[in-house]
Amino acid sequence: MGQPRRDSEHSLGFVGTVVDITERRRAEEVLRVAQAELAHVSRIAVLGELTASIAHEVSQPLAGIITYGEACLRWLDRPQPNLEEARSAVQRMISEGRRASAVIGRTRALAAKGVLQRAPVDLGAALEESLALLMPEMRNRGVAVSVHVAPGLPAVLGDRIQLQQVLNNLLLNAMQASAAVPAGQRSILVRCERLSAPPPRLLCTVQDTGPGVAPANIPALFDAFFTTRPDGLGMGLSICRSVVESHGGRIWLDEQPGTGATFRFTLPVRETRL
Ligand code: ADP
């Protein structure tokens, strides 16, 4: 901090302070850009994890379109074309096409490199959209997911894609941890609710039935590059923390011995109903 000083006209100035603020603003801007870059890299890593199931999700409706297209031609090529059947085949082609395009839309949103937004976000809807992308992979790995979103949750102010990234990272970690237990015991519980104690906040919980976190690993859990997985990046939780904290919230591991891992985060809410 600069010292106040008097110049020749005896007016009081805070020369050093002005310089400090400019420097701090520049540093904050650099940090913001770096965080956005990291969040983007981590979203691409999530996409990498999901490539096989996304390809499957898109190729299924495409195969459907071809089948219904062929059926449609057969109905039209008959000596007496059956227009009713042809129309219904075309309708199925359209709905399969919409299905494929919805998958691509969700994937593109995740891969997009956008400017950070500050807008009201419906966390329940953001969660639903994340799950639409992750569920095929969860099913492949035999992980049951149950979701409880309290009705009438207020909006949080923030960046929808970044907040979805927090949910994606926690859900993917829970899915990966589930691999360590037998197929019939893999389950994840996601809850979003409103905290009754002030200040107004939402609480989200992602709980799994995996092996949990070893006590020795807890202090470093949210540090960048901390990983215990051979192919891990160690960025997931560190990005979760920086996103949640930049939204004015908190994230932590709730230690509940013998129950897998329970991650919780809070976000401040705007007092406008969605
Ligand atoms: P990565 O997944 O690349 O290792 P993360 O930052 O997402 O990076 O996680 C860091 C470490 O935290 C993981 O390597 C793992 O040891 C631990 N961890 C995270 N989530 C869970 C979980 N749900 N159950 C058990 N351990 C977890």
Side-chain angles (χ1 to χ4, degrees):
M1 274 300 226
Q3 296 295 315
R5 71 178 177 96
R6 286 187 187 279
D7 63 18
S8 49
E9 271 89 47
H10 304 290
S11 67
L12 198 57
F14 290 82
V15 175
T17 309
V18 173
V19 173
D20 281 350
I21 288 174
T22 318
E23 283 291 310
R24 201 176 69 207
R25 288 236 175 90
R26 199 172 301 138
E28 277 169 3
E29 178 59 18
V30 168
L31 184 66
R32 212 179 54 78
V33 170
Q35 277 178 342
E37 288 287 325
L38 265 181
H40 181 242
V41 168
S42 149
R43 290 204 300 274
I44 299 297
V46 168
L47 280 180
E49 187 85 15
L50 300 178
T51 306
S53 60
I54 290 173
H56 181 70
E57 284 290 288
V58 177
S59 66
Q60 255 186 346
L62 286 181
I65 289 171
I66 293 168
T67 310
Y68 291 125
E70 285 166 351
C72 178
L73 284 183
R74 280 198 302 275
W75 292 116
L76 293 177
D77 286 345
R78 285 184 160 199
Q80 287 259 297
N82 188 331
L83 293 185
E84 209 39 56
E85 290 290 354
R87 182 173 295 115
S88 118
V90 171
Q91 264 154 5
R92 282 165 199 242
M93 287 166 67
I94 293 170
S95 76
E96 292 291 300
R98 291 214 169 104
R99 215 176 102 200
S101 119
V103 177
I104 290 171
R106 287 196 292 269
T107 312
R108 206 166 41 194
L110 203 61
K113 201 172 178 182
V115 181
L116 291 188
Q117 306 284 324
R118 277 277 180 265
V121 178
D122 175 349
L123 209 62
L127 172 64
E128 210 172 288
E129 209 177 278
S130 281
L131 284 170
L133 199 65
L134 299 176
M135 277 317 287
E137 191 63 26
M138 294 282 188
R139 274 193 290 270
N140 286 347
R141 302 193 190 197
V143 182
V145 181
S146 45
V147 181
H148 298 279
V149 177
L153 285 184
V156 297
L157 190 65
D159 188 285
R160 183 189 170 90
I161 299 278
Q162 280 211 336
L163 292 173
Q164 268 181 331
Q165 182 63 16
V166 173
L167 293 165
N168 288 344
N169 286 350
L170 294 179
L171 286 163
L172 278 179
N173 279 349
M175 181 182 82
Q176 282 155 352
S178 300
V181 296
Q185 298 168 21
R186 297 174 190 162
S187 69
I188 299 175
L189 174 66
V190 194
R191 297 182 76 87
C192 286
E193 61 210 297
R194 200 187 171 133
L195 281 177
S196 48
R201 281 162 303 162
L202 295 190
L203 172 70
C204 284
T205 305
V206 178
Q207 181 171 20
D208 62 61
T209 53
V213 180
N217 292 337
I218 293 176
L221 208 58
F222 290 91
D223 290 354
F225 306 114
F226 174 81
T227 180
T228 58
R229 298 193 301 116
D231 56 347
L233 273 179
M235 290 311 300
L237 289 177
S238 131
I239 285 168
C240 287
R241 184 169 63 179
S242 91
V243 169
V244 169
E245 289 181 354
S246 72
H247 282 76
R250 262 190 70 219
I251 184 166
W252 69 99
L253 171 79
D254 204 350
E255 289 178 70
Q256 296 180 346
T259 56
T262 305
F263 284 89
R264 297 187 198 275
F265 65 91
T266 56
L267 291 170
V269 299
R270 278 167 40 113
E271 280 309 316
T272 47
R273 300 226 153 236
L274 284 171

